[in-house]
Amino acid sequence: MLTPQRQQLILDLLHDQQTVKLHEFVQATNASESTIRRDLQQLEEKNLLKRVHGGASILHQKREELSIPEKSTKNLQQKKQIAMLAASFIRDGDCVFLDAGTTTYEMIPYMRDKNLTIVTNGLSLIDALIDHNIEAYVTGGLVKHKTRALIGSGATSGLTNYRFDKCFLGVNGIHSFYGYTTPDPEEAVVKSTALAYSQEAFILGDSSKLNEVTFSKVADLDMAQLITNEENEDRISLFKEKTTVKVVSP
């Protein structure tokens, strides 16, 4: 089977099944594992699929976005690990921006013993911040029901009144060429504004976000450090060439 035919068959399988294991590609194409791995790498470089542990998966739609309840149950253990590592970079007395997200929410229990000032645009974070007795400010803005984020001109103009030691942002896509992206342009502006007013910026992204690209750009890869649970050196080597990558311990 010629390479274009084999690679098209790989894409057809992904279209039908969403996620396909390496051995399934081997069986379907009658090719070796090394050949399939090379095909997957080439197709990922063309942004036609995303390699995952043991195989590949289809890329998500650019404007696809899950609600907070849907996000909160996905990759929860990985998010907790990333959150714990992220919180370890916060020093006593820091002024910190936490954006609206399920991974930033998981940071809050690890911050309770530090004297901090938090600013957030995430309504879902407020109760947890209060419960842990953490001083918190909320940006203004329009409430986005799906993600419970405050967005729009009220949120972005409110952020310009602050200067942050650190900001911690969640995104939907992390790509070595296209950078950090999120589905909603309004949320992207809030994230990029917070990043601009921070001395240090951290992007929190579990392995499912790597090599994904969504609709709205937040920042180039080198504008923030990446905290992830992805340990596969082959998958994160391109990211390490462009920014600092911190990987959680297994």
Side-chain angles (χ1 to χ4, degrees), residues 1-12 28-29 39:
M1 187 181 296
L2 297 175
T3 298
Q5 295 173 306
R6 189 176 59 252
Q7 293 187 351
Q8 185 58 55
L9 179 54
I10 287 171
L11 294 174
D12 290 342
T29 61
D39 286 338

Side-chain angles (χ1 to χ4, degrees), residues 86-145:
S88 72
F89 298 115
I90 299 176
R91 296 180 180 178
D92 195 61
D94 273 351
C95 297
V96 176
F97 178 79
L98 295 181
D99 84 340
T102 52
T103 309
T104 50
Y105 174 88
E106 296 296 340
M107 291 177 62
I108 296 172
Y110 304 108
M111 298 160 46
R112 59 188 173 193
D113 296 325
K114 298 176 182 177
N115 178 29
L116 304 173
T117 300
I118 303 298
V119 178
T120 184
N121 71 321
L123 296 182
S124 59
L125 277 63
I126 300 303
D127 285 344
L129 289 166
I130 292 171
D131 290 344
H132 288 90
N133 199 32
I134 299 172
E135 182 178 280
Y137 291 80
V138 183
T139 68
L142 173 70
V143 178
K144 181 179 177 181
H145 292 177

Side-chain angles (χ1 to χ4, degrees), residues 127-199:
D127 285 344
L129 289 166
I130 292 171
D131 290 344
H132 288 90
N133 199 32
I134 299 172
E135 182 178 280
Y137 291 80
V138 183
T139 68
L142 173 70
V143 178
K144 181 179 177 181
H145 292 177
K146 193 165 191 178
T147 60
R148 300 177 192 172
L150 293 165
I151 59 173
S153 60
T156 52
S157 63
L159 283 172
T160 63
N161 295 318
Y162 304 108
R163 300 295 181 270
F164 305 110
D165 296 298
K166 299 175 179 74
C167 71
F168 296 86
L169 311 175
V171 294
N172 295 66
I174 302 168
H175 194 276
S176 59
F177 180 76
Y178 296 106
Y180 305 113
T181 56
T182 197
D184 187 336
E186 298 255 30
E187 286 204 63
V189 172
V190 174
K191 293 174 191 289
S192 59
T193 302
L195 191 154
Y197 285 91
S198 299
Q199 287 187 340

